[in-house]
Amino acid sequence: MSSMTKRSQPTWSAPENVDCGRLQIYNSLTRRKNVFQPLSGKRVHWYNCGPTVYDSSHMGHARSYITFDIIRRILRDYFHYDVFFVQNVTDIDDKIIRRARQNHLFEKYQSELIGKDRAVVFQDAGKAFALLTTKLENETDPDKRTMLTKMVEATQSAITNTNIEIGDLVQLLKDPLSMWLDKEFGNSITDNEIFISLPRHFENDYNEDMQALNILPPDCITRVSEYVPEIVKYVQQIIDNGFGYVSNGSVYFDTEKFAQDDKHFYAKLVPEAYGDNKALAEGEGDLSTAIGDEKRNANDFALWKDSKPGEPSWPSPWGHGRPGWHIECSVMASELFGNQMDIHSGGIDLRFPHHDNEMAQAEAFYNSGLPWVNYFLHSGHLTISGCKMSKSLKNFITIKEALSKNTARQLRLAFLLHSWKDTLDYSDNTMTDAVNYEKTVNEFFLTVKDIVRNHKQLSTEKKVVKWNDAEKLLHQKFQEHIVSVDQALKDNIDTKTACDELRRLITAANIYIQEKQTTSNVNLLNSIARFITNILNIFGCIGLGEPIGFPIDQFSGSGFDREQEILPFIEVVSNLRQEIRSKARELKSKELFQLCDSIRDDILPQLGVRMEDYETDSGLQTRLKFVDKDILLRERDERIKAEQLKQHEKETKNKLAAKPKEAPIAPSELFRKELDKYSQFDDNGLPTHDHEGKELSKSAAKKVAKLYQIQEKKYNDYLKQLQNLVGGDAK
């Protein structure tokens, strides 16, 4: 098949099996939703592309891992599939090799700074700057040029600072110095331990982030470094099948021969990218230097790379080398699943060339004509306030940074409130929506918990609430929302719509509670709260076995239930406060009312208890809600600030109301505009001559002087009043 021929995706057909339901999922192999039918009944074989561990994980990674954790939980806990989830760790990679060398060389350079001549360090910095400048001049990608331009400017600023300490200079220039050191001395690195310790460190760091995000661990983890012998055998089989060839100690996949074979199709996911040399080059890695006649075709890619000096290596029939990037996933997934799997997933940026090359390799290995993957799922991009997130562009927010601003639940809710396959913008607005959604749901849970507690204290007669029109209507809406949530999840795991349905159900329940007040049907509300809790638990938002709502204490697994332990004491305080309020009404005591308010606003928040007063037909009632102490104290501070602002606005309004509508004329200006009467004035503005230029008579002068004194008093009174209003000097 010629690379110039217009290409389209091949025909895809669902595997023949029993229809396990109406779940449909968006399949990148067809670019549309397909009925989900696993190969083996309820058993699902799923391989997910894991991290390349050379740096801290960021929110772009979280986009993929949280997304597929949500889908995995829903398949397992809602649709009850038996999911076997395998995820790899890429610990042999060009990025890892280069970063490991750079870190090692930079740390060595830092350790040798003591006693090093200042001029020599500045000379090295100049060489690093020259290399960086050359890199910028040769870069064509606009985003990378922007990043490099910033680096050049920062480097130049540091070098021209003659007062800077040498240690500070070296730390500021870590990136450009590391690049220069690697170029100069990278080939001298021979210790394989250097290439092992870096990925192990960041794999542990990654695992900590995943645990903090409440992401289920894989059922099986595969590391590239542990599968090198299997990779060598796999590559040899591809060569034996006629789809691979050896060149200068490396092995390449023959894309043209594969594409021309009747049983196969190259670039199933993105056929229009066939021949995209830029994407292919990026897929080969930064350290790949296949030139001249080493490749038969520009579209061919490395299965096995001949290791150069300064790179880790393993023995093979073709010489010492290391695996290509794409081959690792083909081999490890095949080792676990064989010639076919149900689901393969990863970020959308991996579609081509990585995932297309994976499939080509696996299908060349088995050479059966069967599809290696039946459903390909790709999570959408994640942007930061509309901008592309990229570690290589140094435009990213680490998972730890994100968790310092929001909880893992709030981050997960942000993902749940958006389509899993579309671009998600990580911004203040996105997180505000997630926080508000969490608050809406949590307040409903707390209200229902309070109603359930109060219901337990009622007599048997009062516990029975007849189902009237209000109960029938709410129950009808409840059933409708159950169906709507089910339809949403069956329609491509549409968590956004499912969450919207839960919010509408909460709104309907809140309206019912407000209408019924203390005569709400507890069983109905309890059923609704349990349903919502169950769905959010399936989504990974709860996870601690709570019957209703979010867990209050993260250490509740220890057997300590704070709510049950302190509830009797809080109820005593609440009842005592009610008695004090009654006595305050009898005595009309402002001090007792203030004491009651202090119990509610100052004392109970310190215990993690929110006390809410609300009016009912039978009088004032109190609702108790157990909330995180920090949240309550933050709410109290915000309430105090709001009250202070309101008081300030009230005082300002009163001052403005008391302010004279129009300032009186200054006495010095009282007569100056009356030019039809006067022509000359003294320094105080008193007239001295009439309009004809004649000096005023004594009686006329006495008259204007009296008017002047009256106006002066009026004006001075105004100034004093204004000064009192603004609390300062009035001018």
Side-chain angles (χ1 to χ4, degrees), residues 390-440:
S390 168
K391 186 175 289 184
S392 62
L393 298 177
K394 300 189 181 300
N395 173 42
F396 64 93
I397 295 174
T398 66
I399 290 172
K400 289 179 178 61
E401 288 171 338
L403 286 171
S404 69
K405 299 176 182 177
N406 294 99
T407 66
R409 182 191 298 136
Q410 290 164 352
L411 292 175
R412 184 172 289 254
L413 284 170
F415 286 41
L416 286 163
L417 293 171
H418 292 79
S419 168
W420 63 267
K421 72 179 186 63
D422 295 335
T423 297
L424 168 65
D425 188 47
Y426 176 71
S427 64
D428 289 342
N429 288 338
T430 300
M431 294 315 304
T432 297
D433 290 343
V435 171
N436 288 339
Y437 186 90
E438 179 189 47
K439 184 175 181 180
T440 296

Side-chain angles (χ1 to χ4, degrees), residues 145-177:
R145 281 190 62 85
T146 300
M147 183 267 294
L148 287 170
T149 299
K150 292 179 180 178
M151 285 182 65
V152 167
E153 292 172 351
T155 303
Q156 188 173 27
S157 175
I159 291 175
T160 54
N161 184 357
T162 57
N163 296 321
I164 193 169
E165 294 290 334
I166 289 298
D168 295 337
L169 173 67
V170 170
Q171 192 58 47
L172 283 172
L173 300 185
K174 179 179 179 180
D175 288 341
L177 273 174

